[in-house]
Each structure stands twice: as structure tokens, then as C-alpha cells.
Amino acid sequence: RRSSDLVTAMAHMEAENLIEIINRFLSNLSDRDRDIFVQRYWIMESIKNIAARHKMSEGAIKQNLLRNKRKLKKILEREGRL
């Protein structure tokens, strides 16, 4: 029982740390980039709808998402999360 409590507590701390890293990443994005990222990966909005919302081409939205996914990947690697 104590062992499973410890594992649960450690998993909770790891999750909180990951949330903190992602929140820090999001807070460093511009308002537009943050909205695009959140709309796509949290709300699961389509590229087409995000493009219309921001008056951008679908290609520009895809490029924006790719660039910011790479930024997040670098941060996660630096933090030892990947």
C-alpha cells in the first residue's frame, strides 16, 4: 500500500512539473501563436477553421504549428522529458 501511494505521489509531481513546463512554453508565445497552438492541440480545431479565424492561409497555420511544436520539443528535451 505504501509503495503504491509513493508511486502515485511521484506520478502526480511529474504531471505537475510537465504542466508547469507547458504553461511556461505557452506563456512565452505571442497571443496569436498561443491561440493557434491551443485551438489545434487542446480544442482540436481544424486547420481550416484556425486559418479563417486568424485570416491566414492553411499553409501558414501548419508552418506556425510545426515551428512551435519544435520549440516545445526542444524545451522538453532540455528538461529531460523526452
Side-chain angles (χ1 to χ4, degrees):
R1 169 110 177 108
R2 294 182 90 170
S3 173
S4 66
D5 289 347
L6 179 59
V7 170
T8 300
M10 290 175 68
H12 182 72
M13 287 172 37
E14 286 292 314
E16 284 183 348
N17 180 253
L18 185 57
I19 290 167
E20 182 182 311
I21 292 167
I22 293 171
N23 282 335
R24 192 168 51 241
F25 161 75
L26 290 171
S27 72
N28 287 323
L29 294 178
S30 68
D31 289 345
R32 183 192 71 181
D33 285 1
R34 183 173 41 257
D35 184 73
I36 290 169
F37 201 87
V38 169
Q39 287 291 318
R40 183 65 180 153
Y41 297 117
W42 268 259
I43 299 173
M44 306 305 287
E45 187 61 75
S46 71
I47 299 287
K48 181 178 180 177
N49 287 345
I50 296 169
R53 174 186 176 119
H54 288 279
K55 298 177 176 53
M56 296 169 66
S57 71
E58 290 182 35
I61 294 297
K62 289 176 184 177
Q63 195 60 36
N64 179 288
L65 289 167
L66 180 62
R67 184 178 64 248
N68 286 313
K69 281 192 301 186
R70 286 179 177 159
K71 285 181 189 176
L72 179 56
K73 182 180 179 195
K74 282 184 182 181
I75 291 167
L76 292 172
E77 287 173 342
R78 190 173 57 235
E79 295 285 336
R81 306 300 274 172
L82 286 180

